Amino acid sequence: MSFLNYENDILKFEDISIREIAEGRATPFYCYSKQTLTNNFREFSDSLTSLDATVCFSLKSNSNLTILKTLTELEAGGDVVSEWEMRKALQAGMKPNKIVFSGIGKTASDIQFAISNNCLQINAESLDELDHINRIASVSGKIQKVGIRINPDIQSETHKKISTGSLEDKFGISIEQTYEIFQNPQNYPNLEISSIAFHIGSNIKDLTPFQRTFEIIGELVAKINSETKKINTVDVGGGISPEKRNFTFEDYRNLIVKYFDTENLKFIFEPGRLIAANAGILVSKVLYTKNITGKKFVIIDAGMNDMMRPALYDAHHEIMPDVRTSEYDEINTDIVGPICESSDVFLNIQKFNKVKSGQYVILKDVGAYGSTMSSNYNARPLIEELMVDGSQIRIIRKTQSYEDFIKNEI
Ligand SMILES: Cc1ncc(COP(=O)(O)O)c(C=O)c1O
C-alpha cells in the first residue's frame, strides 16, 4: 500500500499534504512515512514463518537513528559494515546478538569493536581477513562466530554497479576455498566458523538468480554438514527489489525451504531497499526553468550531493509535482540539480506537468541509499530529515549548520 497519493490533485504523504509538510521549511529535505516503513518490515518478516529467522535491516541503506529505533521496536536486527554503523545500531537499541558485521575491508578497529560488543557474527570475505579476525579474537581472549561470505559466481541481472555475486565482482570467497576453510578449522582456533553468507546484488526483480544461488549453496552446506556438521546458520543477504518483482515473498521463502535443511538451520536476512526505499521522499523546489534549442531544463534545489543514485548508477526515480494540473509540457526535459557536474541529472522525461519557480517537486522512493550516500559536495549542508506518522511531523535530523560543517577544519 502506498502512502504517497494525490487527493484532489494535491499530493499527500500519509494524512498530510506536501505543502503543509514543507511550510516554513528550507528545501530540499527528506521525509519518511512511519507507516510505510512499519508495513514493509512486518510484511517481510511475517512471510518468513516456520523459518528460524533473524531479519537484520541493512544500515547502509538508511541509518537514521529514528528509522532504526522504529525498526528495533519491530524486533529488527542490523546488518552493519563499519564501527559507526554498529554504534548507531546499538544506540537505536538493536541487540548485539542480532547484529551481523559484513563488508569486504573491515579495519582492525571495526573487528575489535564487533568482537568486544558481542556481535552475532562477522562475515569474512578473504583468507587474509579470517587470519586477521582470528588474531584479534585471540588477543581479546574470545571465540568469535564467523560466516564465510561466498561468491557463488551468479549474474544477478541487475545494474552492473549493484551486482555483487559474480567472480568479476570484488566480494566474497570462492566455493572451493570455502570448502577448504571448513576442512581446516584448526587454522583458526579463536573462530567458530559456523555460517555461510552471500549477497548477490541489489534491486533483484527475478527469482532465477536466487534460485541458482540457493541451489549451489544449499548443495555446499549439505556436503559440508554431512562431513563436519559445522554450519548452523545461513545468511542469505538482501537484494530483493521492492517493486516490479516477478515473485512473492512466499515464492522466495519456498525456495529456501526447497534448497536448505530448514529444520536444522537458522537464517539471517539482510533487506535494505525492500524496507526503506518507498518509505522516503525527497522534497525539492523548482529554482528555474529554461529552454535551449528544443530541450527544456527544470533546475531544482536538490542536487546529486543530496541524492546521488541517478548519477551513480542510473537509478530511475519518478518525480511528481505537489499539485497536479492538466497542463503539460510535451518536450524533451531534463530535471537537474544545481551541482557543477553534467551528471547532476535526476530524470529525463518527454512529458511533464508545467512547473514554475517556487513549486515543490517530489522525488519518489528515495528512502534507501538516498540520505546515507549524501555528501557536502559544493559545500552544501547535509539536509533536514523528517518523519510523518498520520498527520504528525517530526524532525529526525536537523540541517547541518555551517559551524558543524567547518568545525574540524584548520
Ligand atoms: C552484504 C549486503 N547485505 C545486504 C545488502 C542490502 O541490499 P538491499 O538494499 O538490496 O536489500 C547489501 C547491499 O549492498 C549488502 O552488500
Side-chain angles (χ1 to χ4, degrees):
M1 179 180 178
S2 168
F3 286 94
L4 182 68
N5 295 302
Y6 284 106
E7 245 179 66
N8 300 325
D9 292 327
I10 305 287
L11 191 60
K12 291 182 83 174
F13 203 31
E14 296 208 5
D15 300 333
I16 185 163
S17 70
I18 300 297
R19 183 67 52 97
E20 286 168 286
I21 299 172
E23 199 173 349
R25 298 184 186 287
T27 51
F29 59 84
Y30 279 99
C31 185
Y32 304 98
S33 150
K34 184 172 181 183
Q35 292 186 47
T36 310
L37 196 66
T38 304
N39 288 358
N40 288 347
F41 187 84
R42 284 220 178 103
E43 206 190 315
F44 182 64
S45 57
D46 289 353
S47 76
L48 303 172
T49 47
S50 87
L51 299 180
D52 184 341
T54 307
V55 182
C56 296
F57 174 65
S58 196
L59 267 77
K60 64 176 83 64
S61 68
N62 193 316
S63 60
N64 179 283
L65 277 180
T66 302
I67 301 266
L68 299 182
K69 284 178 191 162
T70 306
L71 295 172
T72 305
E73 278 169 20
L74 304 172
E75 308 282 309
D79 155 44
V80 304
V81 292
S82 68
E83 178 183 333
W84 284 8
E85 275 194 354
M86 183 155 173
R87 280 180 188 269
K88 288 187 95 173
L90 293 171
Q91 197 168 333
M94 286 178 177
K95 297 203 181 89
N97 66 1
K98 285 189 169 188
I99 296 177
V100 52
F101 208 117
S102 315
I104 187 181
K106 296 175 221 56
T107 63
S109 70
D110 288 332
I111 297 167
Q112 177 69 61
F113 188 82
I115 293 176
S116 55
N117 285 281
N118 306 314
C119 82
L120 168 62
Q121 71 180 48
I122 300 179
N123 290 339
E125 301 216 18
S126 63
L127 295 180
D128 248 9
E129 192 192 6
L130 266 183
D131 284 332
H132 199 188
I133 302 170
N134 185 55
R135 272 200 304 280
I136 295 175
S138 146
V139 173
S140 310
K142 288 201 171 177
I143 306 288
Q144 175 61 48
K145 177 166 176 167
V146 164
I148 304 297
R149 172 154 176 191
I150 296 187
N151 184 321
D153 198 18
I154 293 286
Q155 300 293 341
S156 54
E157 283 141 38
T158 190
H159 191 281
K160 192 177 168 343
K161 290 193 178 163
I162 50 174
S163 154
T164 56
S166 104
L167 290 180
E168 290 288 298
D169 304 317
K170 67 181 177 180
F171 300 99
I173 295 179
S174 71
I175 291 192
E176 295 71 28
Q177 272 188 340
T178 302
Y179 182 71
E180 276 172 35
I181 292 166
F182 279 95
Q183 297 307 301
N184 296 292
Q186 72 284 357
N187 292 345
Y188 311 102
N190 281 80
L191 304 184
E192 177 211 312
I193 305 178
S194 57
S195 175
I196 292 282
F198 52 90
H199 170 80
I200 56 174
S202 213
N203 211 16
I204 300 171
K205 299 177 185 344
D206 179 26
L207 197 57
T208 316
F210 287 118
Q211 193 229 317
R212 292 209 306 270
T213 307
F214 293 174
E215 190 174 1
I216 293 169
I217 294 184
E219 216 172 274
L220 178 72
V221 173
K223 182 173 173 201
I224 292 173
N225 274 358
S226 71
E227 295 163 4
T228 65
K229 290 257 177 307
K230 277 276 176 352
I231 299 173
N232 56 32
T233 309
V234 177
D235 176 347
V236 301
I240 302 176
S241 174
E243 43 142 38
K244 296 186 188 144
R245 280 192 317 265
N246 71 359
F247 62 94
T248 63
F249 294 156
E250 198 187 359
D251 298 332
Y252 178 79
R253 190 198 71 102
N254 289 345
L255 268 192
I256 293 178
V257 173
K258 177 169 178 195
Y259 290 107
F260 293 98
D261 173 8
T262 49
E263 294 285 300
N264 293 302
L265 291 168
K266 296 185 186 120
F267 292 86
I268 295 171
F269 296 84
E270 300 176 351
R273 184 186 311 263
L274 185 68
I275 309 299
N278 69 350
I281 56 174
L282 179 60
V283 179
S284 180
K285 235 182 214 170
V286 175
L287 290 173
Y288 310 105
T289 63
K290 66 175 177 181
N291 288 60
I292 303 178
T293 56
K295 182 161 186 180
K296 179 165 183 170
F297 291 91
V298 175
I299 301 140
I300 65 176
D301 61 5
M304 64 190 281
N305 71 302
D306 304 307
M307 218 281 282
M308 76 179 301
R309 291 174 34 73
L312 184 65
Y313 29 56
D314 307 320
H316 176 90
H317 288 271
E318 197 183 325
I319 301 186
M320 309 162 87
D322 77 313
V323 180
R324 193 169 54 179
T325 67
S326 52
E327 284 184 58
Y328 287 91
D329 277 326
E330 293 202 37
I331 179 172
N332 182 15
T333 300
D334 274 354
I335 301 177
V336 304
I339 303 295
C340 305
E341 296 287 343
S342 299
S343 56
D344 186 25
V345 177
F346 289 115
L347 188 67
N348 174 259
I349 194 163
Q350 304 307 315
K351 180 179 173 187
F352 192 63
N353 240 214
K354 260 193 202 311
V355 285
K356 51 181 191 301
S357 284
Q359 177 158 0
Y360 296 114
V361 288
I362 289 83
L363 280 77
K364 259 184 90 177
D365 301 334
V366 297
Y369 308 100
S371 169
T372 45
M373 283 191 180
S374 57
S375 77
N376 284 122
Y377 188 41
N378 278 202
R380 288 160 53 92
L382 299 180
I383 60 181
E384 188 175 49
E385 295 187 275
L386 310 173
M387 182 180 267
V388 293
D389 182 10
S391 53
Q392 305 285 323
I393 309 168
R394 261 176 80 193
I395 296 175
I396 62 170
R397 184 180 74 179
K398 292 183 193 157
T399 312
Q400 188 181 28
S401 66
Y402 180 70
E403 290 68 33
D404 269 350
F405 169 59
I406 209 76
K407 73 171 182 245
N408 292 325
E409 294 186 27
I410 294 157

